Amino acid sequence: MKSRRIHLFGASGSGVTTLGRALAAEFAIPHHDTDDYYWLPTNPPYTSKRDIADRLRLMHELFVPRADWVLSGALDSWGVSLAQHFDLAILVETPTEIRLARLIAREATRFGQDAVKPGGWRHTEMTEFVDWASHYEDGTREGRSRARHETFITTLHCPFLRIDGNAPTIAGVRRIVDKISARN
């Protein structure tokens, strides 16, 4: 049986992690998220970046050499060397307004409604993050952008899919399963 090393990426709030977890569950294989390697564990989270060499070392130690895994999250600016291991890459595309609403809801769930409302301890960080994420399509902020992802796609040497992140998760899983089944 061929390996199943699947990488999903897209804009923040596009549904990459949700689809990645569902796909990993479908195949009963491990799911990994780039945020777990990109960020050092801090409280509050997402405040200190891990060195690139340490991110890659951890990923190689924990899963990259294995035959089957799902990796969700962007790595095009620091982890392009991992692309040689991908059996399938997937760009999850979701309209900006839906992504931003998901991000706000996620932050409220993660930190509490009071934390993210005006005056809350997490409000400034949340609004800055949502503002940053709103510029994915135009690429006017540092970091993830549509243009950078489109460039990353041209470097891939594996099959590639675009998935509608606004469709039901199960529809994305079925499409990916069909793609993988067709190659086996």
Side-chain angles (χ1 to χ4, degrees), residues 3-17:
S3 62
R4 292 172 295 188
R5 296 175 178 157
I6 305 162
H7 175 56
L8 298 98
F9 61 102
S12 293
S14 62
V16 168
T17 301

Side-chain angles (χ1 to χ4, degrees), residues 23-99:
L23 187 61
E26 174 74 19
F27 286 129
I29 62 177
H31 173 260
H32 299 270
D33 194 280
T34 57
D35 279 347
D36 296 331
Y37 301 94
Y38 187 90
W39 298 104
L40 288 166
T42 57
N43 189 14
Y46 315 116
T47 57
S48 297
K49 296 175 186 175
R50 184 177 273 126
D51 290 332
I52 292 173
D54 288 338
R55 293 175 212 165
L56 295 171
R57 178 188 51 76
L58 281 171
M59 294 169 92
H60 279 278
E61 287 175 4
L62 294 174
F63 71 91
V64 170
R66 297 172 193 236
D68 299 301
W69 41 260
V70 174
L71 175 63
S72 57
L75 52 66
D76 54 285
S77 66
W78 58 269
V80 293
S81 64
L82 297 173
Q84 66 184 313
H85 300 283
F86 302 160
D87 296 316
L88 177 64
I90 300 148
L91 175 63
V92 181
E93 300 176 303
T94 307
T96 301
E97 61 278 358
I98 293 169
R99 291 189 308 97

Side-chain angles (χ1 to χ4, degrees), residues 108-163:
T109 298
R110 187 178 281 165
F111 299 107
Q113 191 66 41
D114 288 341
V116 299
K117 71 181 183 183
W121 69 270
R122 187 75 183 170
H123 178 73
T124 300
E125 291 87 350
M126 183 205 59
T127 55
E128 289 173 355
F129 175 61
V130 171
D131 179 61
W132 170 82
S134 73
H135 292 277
Y136 173 80
E137 295 296 339
D138 64 33
T140 58
R141 296 289 192 277
E142 183 180 331
R144 245 184 278 187
S145 70
R146 164 72 69 180
R148 213 165 76 187
H149 280 162
E150 294 295 339
T151 299
F152 176 64
I153 291 164
T154 67
T155 70
L156 296 172
H157 299 285
C158 66
F160 169 75
L161 282 176
R162 291 177 191 271
I163 296 285

